[in-house]
Amino acid sequence: MNWLQLSWKNIISRPLSMLLSIVLFALGVGLISILFLLDHQLQQNFEKNLAGVDLVVGAKGSPLQLILCSMYHIDAPTGNIALKDARPFMVKNHPLIEKAIPLSMGDSYKGYRIVGTTKDLLSLYNAKIATGKVWKFNFETTIGAAVAKELNLKIGDQFQSSHGLTNDEMHMHDDVEAFKVVGILEPSGTVLDQLILTTPQTFWLIHEEHDHDHEEHDHDHSAHNHDGHNHEDHDHDHSDHDHGPAAPKSLLDEDQDKQITSLLIRFKGRNFQSLNMQRNINENTDLQAATPAIEINRLFSLMDTGQQALRTLAIVIIFVSGLSIFISLFSSLRERKYELALMRSMGAKPAGIFTLIILEGLILASIGFFIGILLSHGGMQLLANMIKDAYRYSFTGWQFLKEEAYLLIGALFIGVVAAIIPAIQASKTDISETLAKG
């Protein structure tokens, strides 16, 4: 029988102490591993969606809320801004601004957000069309890959939006024209996968009609729908072009009192004027400007305090589990002194006995490590499903990080350290004295 088999036999001969050591070790490793996974995937999601945006301009309020809503679509808008206030940033050939992309938000379909915007948003994320085309007319939509997959939507499908950003049938806009899917985007791993994109003007038409319907609630419903569509610049089926619909005007030519939610701004270059723009907007206008990178770093620093506390707890648990392995091996030596002396008398060398005990420490640490990794990845997968339901973001438990290899090395090191004193003692067993005592 080799040393490894003998080590395993010794471990399973005392199942209770073995189980305690392994459970403690697995908890510590699992906690550190799940923190690595969460931190890595959060950073990945946040960084991927920065998309080179230098500034987000919107209504006054919390700058972090403005960023989370406009770029990550996981918070409510801070309010709306008038086109007359947004236009100075949207003019063509602006000396500082390369792109100013308008966003209109506030409606959704089955929990997925509808965003009124321009085609520039696609180029910001280097998005490509998988099937169909980019939206052009009002009530046409190009949808993200995750939306198409989860809601089983295809080109030509129609749906009614809901007011608000939750999946609430009570707030369904069933008194206005249905949205029509004209395109589906390729998966990009960005927030676009979770969005339904249309024209900003569609938002105005929905809410104008909705308000008009409330004012004239005694009007015949079908007649109202028909009248409502006469004053819009589109028809139900754009492919037929029955009434020769025109594409919506540029927002620069629309009524200046119309409103949008925010603007995503990318600068032409980094210079003193562009770096000062945020402060100028915040101090001299009714608008608010926020820098995505700064706000996201602030968010991570807020989260870091909690993560530090959990990391410390995990390290304490691993230390206690190392101590538990040490106590388990040390106490078992008393019971096994006679057995070890017999092994020595039968020709086992001190180095062999030393190796035997070290292997026991390594086996306990390895089992604890692999159970901990299973727990962390399984837990992350459960958490990923909850995060997906709540925020529509894709996380996974089946991503393995290089940090986990370092964690394995650390775990094995703790196993060796915990076993080293018992191993030295075992290798120094006095054969004649121990056998004489029996």
Side-chain angles (χ1 to χ4, degrees), residues 4 12 47 57 60 72 120 151 173 187 210-211 231-232 234 244 272-273 279 306 320 337 341 352 356 363 372 376:
L4 194 62
I12 58 174
E47 281 166 17
V57 176
K60 293 276 190 205
Y72 299 100
D120 281 341
L151 303 183
H173 288 305
H210 197 60
D211 296 342
H231 71 261
E232 293 165 16
H234 59 89
F272 180 71
Q273 284 175 295
R279 200 184 68 196
V320 170
K337 266 191 172 179
L356 178 74
I363 288 169
S376 77

Side-chain angles (χ1 to χ4, degrees), residues 87-109:
R87 270 187 191 149
F89 307 102
M90 297 167 69
V91 293
K92 288 183 172 56
N93 304 320
H94 192 287
L96 303 175
I97 295 171
E98 181 192 319
K99 274 181 184 159
I101 301 164
L103 302 177
S104 291
M105 290 174 277
D107 282 20
S108 60
Y109 174 59

Side-chain angles (χ1 to χ4, degrees), residues 58-78:
K60 293 276 190 205
S62 156
L64 180 58
Q65 185 184 346
L66 180 64
I67 298 296
L68 290 177
C69 168
S70 300
M71 295 196 62
Y72 299 100
H73 300 273
I74 51 175
D75 207 342
T78 50

Side-chain angles (χ1 to χ4, degrees), residues 368-387:
F369 172 81
F370 286 109
I371 290 174
I373 290 295
L374 271 175
L375 283 173
S376 77
H377 285 267
M380 185 67 201
Q381 193 56 37
L382 284 174
L383 202 60
N385 294 332
M386 286 160 61
I387 293 170

Side-chain angles (χ1 to χ4, degrees), residues 126-297:
N126 299 315
K128 293 179 174 64
I129 292 283
T131 55
K133 59 181 182 176
V134 176
W135 74 99
K136 184 179 178 184
F137 299 100
N138 296 326
F139 290 94
E140 284 189 341
T141 66
T142 300
I143 63 175
V147 182
K149 187 182 170 192
E150 292 294 320
L151 303 183
N152 198 24
L153 287 171
K154 301 174 292 298
I155 303 294
D157 285 353
Q158 298 197 354
F159 60 88
Q160 300 287 161
S161 65
S162 296
H163 183 60
L165 301 171
T166 54
N167 186 13
D168 191 350
E169 300 286 329
M170 295 288 289
H171 295 101
M172 189 76 83
H173 288 305
D174 51 7
D175 53 343
V176 294
E177 183 173 347
F179 283 90
K180 182 179 177 182
V181 179
V182 297
I184 298 169
L185 298 172
E186 282 182 9
S188 61
T190 68
V191 71
L192 287 192
D193 292 346
Q194 326 287 336
L195 299 179
I196 297 168
L197 306 173
T198 186
T199 65
Q201 285 89 340
T202 301
F203 271 81
W204 306 335
L205 293 166
I206 288 171
H207 296 104
E208 275 171 15
E209 284 205 20
H210 197 60
D211 296 342
H212 186 57
D213 187 50
H214 279 295
E215 286 165 22
E216 299 187 22
H217 56 86
D218 57 339
H219 201 286
D220 175 67
H221 195 73
S222 59
H224 166 73
N225 273 349
H226 177 71
D227 292 344
H229 291 160
N230 283 347
H231 71 261
E232 293 165 16
D233 56 357
H234 59 89
D235 58 15
H236 275 283
D237 187 359
H238 295 309
S239 57
D240 293 338
H241 292 266
D242 292 338
H243 308 295
K249 291 186 284 188
S250 157
L251 291 188
L252 293 168
D253 302 323
E254 291 283 5
D255 178 358
Q256 64 170 8
D257 293 324
K258 297 280 190 189
Q259 294 186 327
I260 58 170
T261 306
S262 57
L263 283 171
L264 304 182
I265 290 174
R266 186 189 272 180
F267 295 134
K268 286 179 175 172
R270 295 264 169 182
N271 58 38
F272 180 71
Q273 284 175 295
S274 62
L275 292 172
N276 254 347
M277 188 181 282
Q278 180 180 356
R279 200 184 68 196
N280 286 338
I281 292 167
N282 289 333
E283 288 178 2
N284 304 318
T285 72
D286 292 330
L287 304 175
Q288 173 185 223
T291 305
I294 290 172
E295 294 306 322
I296 294 310
N297 284 339

Side-chain angles (χ1 to χ4, degrees), residues 1-12 336 343 352-364 366-367:
M1 189 180 283
N2 65 26
W3 292 122
L4 194 62
Q5 286 173 307
L6 206 53
S7 298
W8 178 245
K9 290 257 185 221
N10 286 332
I11 287 170
I12 58 174
R336 293 160 59 196
M343 287 171 70
I353 300 294
F354 181 86
T355 304
L356 178 74
I357 306 298
I358 291 290
L359 278 172
E360 287 181 31
L362 282 172
I363 288 169
L364 286 170
S366 301
I367 294 170

Side-chain angles (χ1 to χ4, degrees), residues 22-23 25-35 37 365-383 396-401 404 407-408:
I22 286 173
V23 166
F25 213 88
L27 283 174
V29 167
L31 198 50
I32 290 178
S33 171
I34 203 164
L35 285 173
L37 286 168
S366 301
I367 294 170
F369 172 81
F370 286 109
I371 290 174
I373 290 295
L374 271 175
L375 283 173
S376 77
H377 285 267
M380 185 67 201
Q381 193 56 37
L382 284 174
L383 202 60
T396 177
W398 311 125
Q399 184 178 39
F400 293 87
L401 309 174
E404 288 172 312
L407 199 54
L408 173 60

